[in-house]
Amino acid sequence: MDPYKELGFTESKDPFKAFGLTVNQDGTISRSSIVPLSPAFPDGESLPGATTTVSSKDVPLNPSHDTTVRLFLPSLPPSKSLLPLIIYFHGGGFVLFHAASVPIHASCARFAASLPAVVASVDYRLAPEHRLPAAFDDARDALRWAQSAVSSEPWVRDFVDPTKLFLMGSSAGGNICYHAALDLISTRLDISPLRLSGLILNQPYFGGIDRTTSELAFADDKVVSLPANDLFWELALPLGSDRDHEYSNVVAKEAKEVKFLPPCLVRGLNEDPLFDRQKLFVEMLIRAGVTVVAKMGSSGHHGVEYLNPEKAAEMATDVKNFVYSVAEFEAPGAIVPEQDL
């Protein structure tokens, strides 16, 4: 009996076929090239509808793990003020995609141009070959890299304001962003002269055993169907863990470090199966006294900004407004504009 049909779903899709995954005998997976890779553009690339060009290059992160960072720098007049640094973690259920994947590359280039900002997109290790917390460890490496880059990497040294560091992630990247910040707080990692000014979590990817209303309502979602959602957690979590693991169900047992988080922008769309979990996450942050800018409830499915230019522009505006007004959010408290939780 198909467990998904037992729950009344109209269709039980095979997530392996949907995402081009094949399980190998050694427990690794083969990924078909459903999303092509983009080269870096060290001499700059023009972006649709933008007057600013963006240069990009790949730099080593941790050679022993074969991880890298794709760095994006917008073209700027010599008198331009120093820019924020955004360390970005892409989505893909911890299993798919790279910093060089075409939609990821294009999104980071747009952010670099539109904010403007220097963007460091982390090509972290993927599950199941590298189960969590490997991606979280790579995020810690990224923070250490950024600290060193302030003096050693010309694009960071010459153009970045080290007091304006942001961690940003979409989907699984939002989860990584959140855990990276908790790790930074709990370990008291010294990243000076960098200062973490805020977190940007776009449709963050959280889970749990009990099904939420939005998961059931959008069980056949074309991006994160319930079978795909379950599969990604099965591949990403430590062996023997279930979806109530602390890496997945972050609201079941609130981490003691949550109250020390910097201001957070959290975005959620009402046609996303993960929407209810994102609302619970925002409520947890508010209870803990974290300053929250919650952009919750506008229309759209999971990852819609990669397919819809208007939604991409909407997201870029939200991020720009947050990054360039975060200094106003120093006092603890909740800011919940426009949409109700």
Side-chain angles (χ1 to χ4, degrees), residues 74-258:
S75 62
L76 298 164
S79 61
K80 189 68 177 180
S81 301
L82 293 176
L83 300 175
L85 173 62
I86 295 178
I87 299 179
Y88 181 81
F89 304 96
H90 66 79
F94 306 101
V95 174
L96 300 171
F97 310 136
H98 293 280
S101 297
V102 165
I104 310 299
H105 173 97
S107 183
C108 288
R110 286 195 301 268
F111 284 128
S114 63
L115 264 68
V118 174
V119 179
S121 181
V122 181
D123 197 36
Y124 56 86
R125 289 171 292 171
L126 299 177
E129 294 84 357
H130 306 283
R131 291 176 176 268
L132 296 175
F136 303 156
D137 294 339
D138 295 343
R140 187 186 306 123
D141 285 345
L143 284 165
R144 291 194 178 108
W145 167 85
Q147 181 185 35
S148 173
V150 169
S151 58
S152 62
E153 166 52 57
W155 288 10
V156 177
R157 180 193 64 209
D158 297 341
F159 297 102
V160 162
D161 180 346
T163 69
K164 296 179 180 177
L165 169 67
F166 295 82
L167 300 182
M168 177 177 176
S170 289
S171 192
N175 183 304
I176 296 170
C177 173
Y178 169 70
H179 282 99
L182 293 183
D183 177 69
L184 178 64
I185 294 165
S186 65
T187 62
R188 299 185 179 182
L189 181 66
D190 179 12
I191 58 170
S192 58
L194 294 170
R195 177 181 179 272
L196 182 59
S197 294
L199 307 183
I200 302 164
L201 300 96
N202 178 56
Q203 297 182 282
Y205 186 45
F206 301 119
I209 291 177
D210 293 336
R211 306 299 190 187
T212 67
T213 299
S214 61
E215 286 173 342
L216 295 174
F218 301 104
D220 293 329
D221 182 74
K222 60 184 177 183
V223 179
V224 194
S225 68
L226 203 62
N229 188 16
D230 291 353
L231 173 64
F232 288 145
W233 285 120
E234 180 181 345
L235 294 174
L237 289 170
L239 288 172
S241 302
D242 60 33
R243 294 190 304 276
D244 278 340
H245 190 279
E246 62 183 303
Y247 296 158
S248 172
N249 193 346
V250 300
V251 302
K253 183 179 180 181
E254 181 180 318
K256 61 181 182 296
E257 298 85 5
V258 169

Side-chain angles (χ1 to χ4, degrees), residues 258-306:
V258 169
K259 63 183 178 181
F260 299 112
L261 289 173
C264 297
L265 167 63
V266 186
R267 301 182 75 254
L269 303 179
N270 62 12
E271 297 165 46
D272 182 357
L274 307 177
F275 184 59
D276 285 348
R277 298 197 182 278
Q278 294 154 7
K279 290 194 295 182
L280 291 171
F281 175 73
V282 168
E283 292 166 3
M284 178 189 73
L285 296 180
I286 292 173
R287 286 196 307 271
V290 179
T291 297
V292 183
V293 177
K295 292 284 189 171
M296 306 292 294
S298 63
S299 63
H301 59 77
H302 196 79
V304 68
E305 71 275 5
Y306 295 124

